[in-house]
Amino acid sequence: RAFSAFILDSNNNVLLQLRSKEKKTDPLKWDAPVAGHIDAGEWGREALAREAKEELGLDVADDEIKYYSCTTSERIMPGMLEHHYNEYYIIAKNVDIESLILQEEEVADAKYFSADEVIVMIDANSDQLSNKANQWAFLKRLLESRKGK
């Protein structure tokens, strides 16, 4: 089991993380700012809070987390095959990027993008984004549904 959580600020901007150059998959690609695997006996929300603290130094309160959807996925890469049940979350939070404590082994940078910028990258199948089609399709649907809100 895995999860992805996107952070949206009050202006509908999306915080993304740039994966570390040390990552085996998708190094130096923009990705969900909080993502990972859910440990045995752990709830997705618990894994989300744990990963946010570990990778970004960010505390996330339960009332800031909203579960949205789930999918299954398969990725075939050289020497690796992944089968996942994926949970998708949104964190509604205004995050000061300067206050983040990035875990070097996992995260190289963090940056806010406007909803329109993210949609353009997704539509262009940008090589700047991680190779997680279901995750990006979820985010695009969410952002499009929030336009004008």
Side-chain angles (χ1 to χ4, degrees):
R1 288 179 32 212
F3 75 91
S4 297
F6 288 97
I7 298 173
L8 274 66
D9 71 10
S10 57
N11 294 316
N12 217 32
N13 295 309
V14 182
L15 182 65
L16 298 179
Q17 67 144 288
L18 185 65
R19 293 170 60 85
S20 165
K21 67 180 179 184
E22 308 302 323
K23 297 296 286 180
K24 289 180 185 175
T25 59
D26 301 316
L28 298 176
K29 304 283 184 181
W30 291 104
D31 201 1
V34 184
H37 291 95
I38 302 167
D39 293 339
E42 188 176 41
W43 292 99
R45 296 169 94 80
E46 293 170 324
L48 185 161
R50 174 179 49 78
E51 289 286 344
K53 188 67 171 175
E54 288 174 7
E55 294 187 7
L56 303 175
L58 181 66
D59 290 314
V60 179
D62 194 60
D63 66 349
E64 296 171 321
I65 302 168
K66 182 168 181 170
Y67 170 82
Y68 266 86
S69 183
C70 65
T71 63
T72 58
S73 65
E74 176 180 276
R75 285 193 342 163
I76 302 170
M77 298 162 283
M80 187 183 298
L81 172 64
E82 291 182 339
H83 293 281
H84 281 139
Y85 171 83
N86 307 291
E87 297 179 7
Y88 299 108
Y89 296 86
I90 293 299
I91 302 167
K93 189 176 184 80
N94 291 323
V95 174
D96 174 12
I97 293 177
E98 299 300 318
S99 71
L100 296 176
I101 303 167
L102 306 180
Q103 184 183 21
E104 291 179 16
E105 306 82 26
E106 299 285 336
V107 183
D109 197 7
K111 178 181 171 183
Y112 272 110
F113 292 84
S114 72
D116 288 338
E117 288 174 312
V118 173
I119 290 170
V120 166
M121 287 192 294
I122 294 168
D123 284 345
N125 198 24
S126 174
D127 63 0
Q128 295 179 51
L129 299 177
S130 62
N131 184 23
K132 299 177 183 172
N134 288 347
Q135 167 185 282
W136 297 114
F138 156 72
L139 181 60
K140 180 182 175 186
R141 281 191 314 273
L142 177 80
L143 293 174
E144 288 176 339
S145 75
R146 295 171 63 99
K147 282 193 174 196
K149 291 185 180 180

